[in-house]
Amino acid sequence: MMKKYKIILTVLLFSVFHCSAQYKLSLQQAIEIVLQNNYSIGIAKADADISRVSNTIGNAGYLPSVNFLASTNRSIYHTRQEFSTGTSVNRKGALSNNFAASIILDWTLFDGMKMFATKDKLEALQARGALNLRIEMENTVAKIIELYFDVVRSQQLIKATNETLNIYIEREKIAQKKLDIGSGSRLDLLQSKVDLNAQKSTLLKLRIDMENAIVAMNQLLTKNTQEMYTVEDSISINDSLMLSAMQQNALAHNNQILFAQYNSDIATYSLKEARSTTLPQVGLTVNYNFTQTQNQVGLILLNQNRGLNAGLYASWNLFNGYRSQTQIQIAKYTIAQSQLALKQTSAVIDASLLRSWKNYQGAIAILKLEEENISIAKENVSIALERFRLGTSNNIELMFAQKSYEDALSRLLSARYDAKLSETELLRLQGQLIK
């Protein structure tokens, strides 16, 4: 009966692990999905589109404005007129129709160089919008990599725990045989059963942890949170990254540094716009007019005019309550502020790169040590199990070897995961996480 129970429980654990795994999701597929569907990326893309469509020569002030105006009115008069010739007019309900239409072109030819500064500013705003989208994409990709390999780590932990479960099952069998032939104790058998059940409980908890990790990843992927799948079964590490090359790449390609540089450029163009208000403006006006008046009484029964007129105008604001000077001063302070922000960002990125590099080096060193240690721990537990089978060691010695092997497995998987996260952060800081 006990053997039947153990078989049923083992099958149940296996089915819990595999029942939901309908397909395999690769890291590349996850990245493609998150780049296409993620809400934060969609919002950043909309902002980038707004700055792109705003970058036009018309929006900068290069082009003229053309307006069409038209008006008409109809009047009814009671008219009485007496002329020097002795004639007179007395008319009730006399109609008068008036119609006017004009096309007006207004073109600013010189605005203190503001249009050129504004166009440069729009270019910088468009580039900054595209860069902000890239930063959002980078951060989201880094997060999906973290979540994806968290699922990989959980999946590997489940696989490793399934393997160590066989040792617990074998240990219980040995304890039962020893008790049956009179060379063992019931205490060893009971302890073996307790440890086996604890390992099965650990396996179930790991499965729950993995499913929760998949739910978190589904949320970022904007997928159905209840959707389950398997992932890749390994974590590959690039252990050949060099600090000097990364520092040069970060200085030239880090998107946060580039974003701060665009802010500084935009502040410079804003200063040019503010200074343009202190210079004269010159414009051109061209009008085409048509007017018509029809009267039922009076000396002029029809008056119609049409024609073209053009002219230049100039204006120069000599005093506006020091508002222009105030805007110029604010723009200068903004430039100084943006330049400090650029230096601060560069310093932060440099420090972050150095910290990430140290974390990366440490993680690689720990990983190599744990890869060497896992083979020792595995051999140790095999020897301890065989000694327990032969009766040359006790239950405590085997328990200690099992615990050492399980801890070594957990440390190895954590070391691979930490090394991958450090590698991902180094790529992000260099602006190389997405191509």
Side-chain angles (χ1 to χ4, degrees):
M1 183 67 180
M2 287 297 296
K3 290 183 178 180
K4 182 179 179 181
Y5 168 75
K6 283 183 282 187
I7 292 173
I8 292 174
L9 185 54
T10 303
V11 171
L12 176 61
L13 289 171
F14 184 82
S15 64
V16 167
F17 175 64
H18 289 279
C19 65
S20 304
Q22 298 179 355
Y23 68 97
K24 184 174 183 178
L25 181 70
S26 69
L27 176 61
Q28 185 60 38
Q29 288 173 328
I31 291 174
E32 290 174 357
I33 292 171
V34 79
L35 289 178
Q36 182 177 0
N37 298 337
N38 181 262
Y39 296 130
S40 297
I41 291 177
I43 293 171
K45 186 178 184 303
D47 288 338
D49 289 338
I50 291 172
S51 60
R52 175 179 55 81
V53 299
S54 299
N55 182 20
T56 64
I57 57 175
N59 216 20
Y62 280 78
L63 300 179
S65 64
V66 179
N67 295 290
F68 173 74
L69 302 176
S71 65
T72 183
N73 63 74
R74 185 181 179 90
S75 304
I76 301 176
Y77 297 99
H78 298 301
T79 303
R80 180 180 178 183
Q81 295 177 331
E82 294 182 356
F83 300 99
S84 61
T85 59
T87 61
S88 64
V89 176
N90 190 354
R91 178 77 178 268
K92 292 183 178 181
L95 298 179
S96 177
N97 295 320
N98 295 284
F99 175 77
S102 60
I103 298 177
I104 305 171
L105 181 145
D106 190 357
W107 197 346
T108 300
L109 302 178
F110 179 78
D111 61 354
M113 309 299 288
K114 179 182 179 182
M115 64 180 70
F116 300 103
T118 301
K119 187 62 174 71
D120 290 338
K121 183 177 179 180
L122 291 173
E123 292 281 355
L125 286 170
Q126 179 181 347
R128 190 183 69 174
L131 192 61
N132 184 60
L133 172 60
R134 186 175 177 85
I135 290 173
E136 189 62 43
M137 291 169 66
E138 270 189 342
N139 293 337
T140 305
V141 168
K143 186 62 178 179
I144 200 64
I145 290 174
E146 176 186 347
L147 293 174
Y148 185 89
F149 284 112
D150 187 30
V151 177
V152 173
R153 178 178 60 171
S154 297
Q155 185 173 275
Q156 290 178 331
L157 275 171
I158 291 173
K159 182 180 179 181
T161 305
N162 265 317
E163 292 175 356
T164 60
L165 187 65
N166 294 327
I167 300 175
Y168 283 90
I169 294 173
E170 184 64 20
R171 173 182 154 197
E172 183 196 20
K173 289 179 180 179
I174 295 171
Q176 182 66 55
K177 287 181 181 179
K178 284 185 176 183
L179 181 62
D180 292 342
I181 63 177
S183 62
S185 67
R186 185 166 179 78
L187 180 62
D188 286 346
L189 177 61
L190 292 177
Q191 186 62 52
S192 299
K193 291 180 180 295
V194 168
D195 291 343
L196 174 60
N197 288 334
Q199 192 70 354
K200 291 175 180 177
S201 176
T202 298
L203 189 59
L204 288 172
K205 290 178 180 178
L206 288 174
R207 177 58 190 170
I208 294 172
D209 290 342
M210 188 184 77
E211 291 182 350
N212 286 335
I214 291 177
V215 169
M217 188 164 71
N218 283 342
Q219 183 180 2
L220 192 63
L221 293 171
T222 65
K223 294 169 70 71
N224 185 342
T225 53
Q226 296 182 352
E227 184 175 346
M228 292 293 156
Y229 39 78
T230 59
V231 293
E232 297 172 4
D233 55 3
S234 63
I235 302 177
S236 60
I237 307 297
N238 181 3
D239 59 357
S240 60
L241 298 178
M242 302 298 295
L243 179 60
S244 58
M246 289 189 295
Q247 287 176 325
Q248 292 178 357
N249 286 333
L251 188 62
H253 304 296
N254 178 272
N255 291 313
Q256 290 173 312
I257 293 177
L258 295 175
F259 190 88
Q261 180 62 62
Y262 279 123
N263 282 338
S264 180
D265 294 342
I266 290 168
T268 300
Y269 300 137
S270 295
L271 175 59
K272 292 181 179 179
E273 287 179 325
R275 283 174 172 166
S276 70
T277 61
T278 64
L279 298 175
Q281 293 191 1
V282 178
L284 169 68
T285 300
V286 179
N287 298 335
Y288 180 80
N289 301 305
F290 174 82
T291 61
Q292 184 183 78
T293 301
Q294 291 179 316
N295 297 305
Q296 289 186 341
V297 295
L299 295 176
I300 301 176
L301 299 181
L302 174 65
N303 184 15
Q304 180 174 302
N305 296 285
R306 61 182 178 180
L308 184 71
N309 65 76
L312 292 173
Y313 65 85
S315 66
W316 195 347
N317 186 288
L318 301 178
F319 180 74
N320 62 355
Y322 300 108
R323 288 193 296 272
S324 294
Q325 288 75 9
T326 300
Q327 291 302 315
I328 290 172
Q329 284 298 112
I330 292 174
K332 288 180 178 179
Y333 286 130
T334 303
I335 290 175
Q337 184 183 54
S338 63
Q339 290 174 345
L340 288 173
L342 175 58
K343 293 179 181 179
Q344 181 185 42
T345 301
S346 298
V348 169
I349 296 302
D350 184 64
S352 298
L353 186 67
L354 186 58
R355 284 195 300 269
S356 298
W357 166 250
K358 291 183 179 297
N359 292 337
Y360 170 77
Q361 281 187 310
I364 294 296
I366 293 172
L367 176 59
K368 291 180 179 179
L369 182 63
E370 293 300 339
E371 286 176 339
E372 178 184 350
N373 192 51
I374 192 64
S375 59
I376 299 173
K378 187 173 184 178
E379 182 181 1
N380 183 48
V381 76
S382 297
I383 294 172
L385 181 62
E386 188 60 27
R387 283 170 54 84
F388 182 70
R389 189 195 312 276
L390 297 174
T392 56
S393 68
N394 56 34
N395 198 34
I396 296 176
E397 182 180 312
L398 178 55
M399 288 169 56
F400 184 77
Q402 285 179 285
K403 183 67 167 58
S404 296
Y405 179 53
E406 291 163 10
D407 290 345
L409 277 172
S410 179
R411 290 195 306 270
L412 175 61
L413 296 177
S414 294
R416 285 178 182 160
Y417 177 71
D418 293 341
K420 190 63 182 180
L421 293 191
S422 298
E423 176 193 331
T424 301
E425 179 62 10
L426 287 173
L427 292 175
R428 188 189 71 82
L429 290 171
Q430 296 177 79
Q432 295 183 348
L433 190 58
I434 57 175
K435 301 298 183 182

